[in-house]
Every structure is written in structure tokens, then in C-alpha cells.
Amino acid sequence: MNTRILILGSNGQIGTVLAESLRTKYGRDQVICSDIREPKLQADGPFRLIDVLDSKAIEQVIQEENINQVYHLAALLSARGEQNPSLTWQINMQGLLNVLDICSRLKVSRLFFPSSIAVYGPTTPKQLTPQFTSLQPSTVYGISKLAGEMWCEYYHHRYGLDVRSLRYPGVIGWQSLPEGGTTDYAVEIFHGALKSGHYKCFLKAGTRLPMIYMDDAIRATIELMEAPSDKIRIRTGYNLVGMSFTPAEIAEEIKKLVDGFTISYEPDFRQQIAESWSESIDDSSARADWGWSPRYDLKEMCREMLEKLSGKLA
Ligand code: SER
């Protein structure tokens, strides 16, 4: 069957890069991008203005474009979410419920839902967090992702919808900027290093968080979506990780590559969010079920980030 893809929320940090990878793989016109706003850069392929709260618009594009795979990325992230909990709940939850309902009614063959390390909370074991464990998130974003995972599993069991999900850690890429997240510092630090040689970090020096390089995150997403259905044994969200580090550790690595780089610390409300999450993740279920394996560690990620980002900024 001809793969016809719809990405909802394609202007975001992951959507921008995922769209390009999917277009390279399946062809430019096979991937319909959509977001609530026009993309900042001229869209390189089909683009539709769609609000995920507008079910009619989602249904219409799926029918008109013969869509058989949907990547539902539209959401407000953790830090932004705390500033407007009810809007976050509405977009993250109602948006997902709309997409689940439409995909199941229109018999869309595969749906991707991004979950997050934000499903973990203070009662979750912090080190090598297991796949199945206590989940009591403390942010509205985390609550929406946990409820979202449960709805995905429900639609799979009850209606046979082939929905797949990853719990992304902080995603670090040179192509796009994250917006409104707690792990955003790990992208901003590279921009600071190259633009001014300094970065003022909003987390404390020793705050360890799980992260992944963009190339690995995109590859994991596409590998998960391409795996045969019987390999996907978890229909909530798969634990996923590439590396874990603290702001002090990434700063040390950047110092080796950018002469004179300095970092200072001014923690804000995001510190509390970060402290409620895990420090490292056990992603052995993803490895065992569909062959996940990361390629980038901290050192390799920093080297490539600085090389590619300096090219882009130039
Ligand atoms: N990167 C996200 C955030 O910080 C976590 O999923 O909100």
C-alpha cells in the first residue's frame, strides 16, 4: 500500500525534522504537514493549516489526502503547560481524543503518539526507571501524556487501532528549537556557546536528565512505526533513551570544543519539574521488542551539534 502520511503539529522541534526524514523516505508529496500556524520557513511540500481541536478539519484532510499514517505531535510542553493548565489539558487531551476517534473510524492503519519522560513523577524510581513502574506525574503536561498513553492502549485493545508511542526524553537537535520544555536548556546551551561563548542555565548544575540526539529520536520513531505489528507488545509508551547528563557535564564537554565557553546557573520554576523526573531510563523493552539501539553518546552528540549548528548559524 502507498504510504500517505499526515503530521499534526509539524512546526515543532520534532515535527520539523521528522517531516524532512519522512519526505526523504516516502517522497515529498506523500507527507502532508499541518500546524495551527504557517511554518516560519516556506513549507517544502504540502502543508495545511489545522487546529487539532477542529475534528472536522482533521477528518477532511485524512479523507481528501487518503492518509493511512498519522503522527500526532501537536501539544504544549511541560514548562509552558504549567503556565496554562486548562489550555494544555484541552489541546493535549482533547486533541488526542479527536485523533484517536477519527483514526479508528476512518481505519487509519497506523498512529504515532509522542509520550514523554514527564509521565514519571516523584514516586518513580529515578535510576534506570523500569518500563512498568509507579507513574504519578506532577505537571499537567505529564498527566496529559500518561492519560494519553492509557487512551492509546484502550483504543488498541477495544477498537484494534494500531497506535504506537515513545516516551521521549529531552531531544537535542541543531535543526530546530524546542519551545516551552524543561529539557530545552540542552539545546539552548549550544546556541549560547556559539553566539556569545556563555550560557545562563535555568537548571542547577547537578540536575541529571535523560536525553537523546535528534537523529536517534527520529530513527527510533520511524523504526517503531515500521516494525511489524506483532513486535509492538506495549501500547502505552515505550521507554526510550540515548544518554543522561547534568548541565555541568554537558558544559564540560562543550568547553573541550569551544574555547573559553562559560556557564552560569540561575534555576527557576523548571528546576522543580526536572527534579520530579527520572535521571536515567531502562529502555530494554524497546530494544527487545523492535530492536532499538541508540548511536549517539554525550561526546559524539556535542561534536556533531557544534559542527552542524555552526554551519547553520553561519
Ligand atoms: N522535552 C519535554 C519537556 O521538557 C519532555 O517531554 O517538556
Side-chain angles (χ1 to χ4, degrees):
M1 193 183 13
N2 200 1
T3 304
R4 298 278 301 159
I5 296 174
L6 171 66
I7 306 179
L8 295 160
S10 62
N11 290 354
Q13 186 202 9
I14 296 176
T16 320
V17 190
L18 181 65
E20 213 179 290
S21 297
L22 290 172
R23 282 183 167 152
T24 305
K25 189 169 176 64
Y26 294 106
R28 181 178 163 278
D29 296 330
Q30 302 302 104
V31 180
I32 316 297
C33 286
S34 75
D35 209 294
I36 195 167
R37 273 180 278 283
E38 295 284 347
K40 284 198 188 104
L41 297 174
Q42 180 72 25
D44 177 31
F47 178 86
R48 301 262 198 132
L49 273 180
I50 295 179
D51 178 348
V52 289
L53 297 178
D54 182 354
S55 319
K56 283 247 152 22
I58 304 174
E59 189 159 347
Q60 200 180 346
V61 67
I62 292 180
Q63 282 173 323
E64 283 175 10
E65 299 285 354
N66 294 314
I67 297 296
N68 48 34
Q69 286 196 16
V70 175
Y71 290 76
H72 170 50
L73 307 181
L76 296 186
L77 297 192
S78 61
R80 173 99 194 273
E82 291 312 287
Q83 270 135 20
N84 198 338
S86 61
L87 178 69
T88 303
W89 184 253
Q90 206 194 353
I91 292 176
N92 294 11
M93 215 58 253
Q94 193 54 51
L96 173 64
L97 290 173
N98 290 345
V99 172
L100 284 168
D101 172 57
I102 295 164
C103 288
S104 118
R105 273 193 294 107
L106 300 184
K107 307 260 175 287
V108 165
S109 31
R110 275 177 202 181
L111 168 63
F112 177 76
F113 169 66
S115 186
S116 159
I117 52 169
V119 298
Y120 311 130
T123 59
T124 309
K126 279 205 174 305
Q127 314 298 338
L128 286 177
T129 301
Q131 175 69 42
F132 300 103
T133 185
S134 169
L135 300 174
Q136 284 190 288
S138 52
T139 60
V140 67
Y141 171 69
I143 302 172
S144 75
K145 289 297 179 187
L146 179 56
E149 284 192 10
M150 299 315 297
W151 274 109
C152 288
E153 187 181 50
Y154 181 85
Y155 266 78
H156 176 71
H157 290 322
R158 173 121 196 223
Y159 304 113
L161 182 64
D162 191 347
V163 50
R164 303 164 180 215
S165 174
L166 296 172
R167 291 173 180 159
Y168 289 122
V171 178
I172 303 162
W174 53 272
Q175 302 95 324
S176 53
L177 275 166
E179 241 179 281
T182 301
T183 56
D184 296 10
Y185 93 84
V187 179
E188 292 170 4
I189 194 170
F190 289 99
H191 288 256
L194 291 173
K195 289 176 192 159
S196 66
H198 180 75
Y199 180 62
K200 187 169 82 183
C201 186
F202 58 75
L203 296 182
K204 290 183 188 164
T207 316
R208 185 173 302 282
L209 285 171
M211 302 276 179
I212 193 168
Y213 187 50
M214 183 66 86
D215 281 37
D216 275 341
I218 299 295
R219 192 169 50 78
T221 310
I222 297 178
E223 283 177 8
L224 173 75
M225 284 297 271
E226 286 187 336
S229 215
D230 60 353
K231 298 272 184 217
I232 311 299
R233 297 187 314 151
I234 292 170
R235 296 293 178 161
T236 51
Y238 274 97
N239 276 7
L240 183 83
V241 73
M243 62 195 89
S244 283
F245 56 78
T246 65
E249 286 166 358
I250 189 177
E252 271 318 301
E253 207 51 50
I254 294 175
K255 271 180 204 166
K256 292 182 198 159
L257 302 161
V258 178
D259 271 353
F261 172 68
T262 54
I263 185 165
S264 59
Y265 299 95
E266 218 170 276
D268 64 17
F269 73 100
R270 289 170 280 194
Q271 180 64 33
Q272 207 182 342
I273 300 178
E275 280 174 15
S276 76
W277 294 348
S278 299
E279 295 189 353
S280 61
I281 308 284
D282 173 0
D283 60 5
S284 51
S285 292
R287 291 168 184 261
D289 290 2
W290 44 276
W292 161 244
S293 173
R295 292 185 187 149
Y296 287 81
D297 59 12
L298 175 61
K299 192 174 153 87
E300 189 52 23
M301 180 272 285
C302 288
R303 196 198 54 72
E304 195 166 307
M305 270 300 283
L306 288 166
E307 182 193 309
K308 296 268 169 79
L309 187 62
S310 53
K312 187 178 182 220
L313 295 176

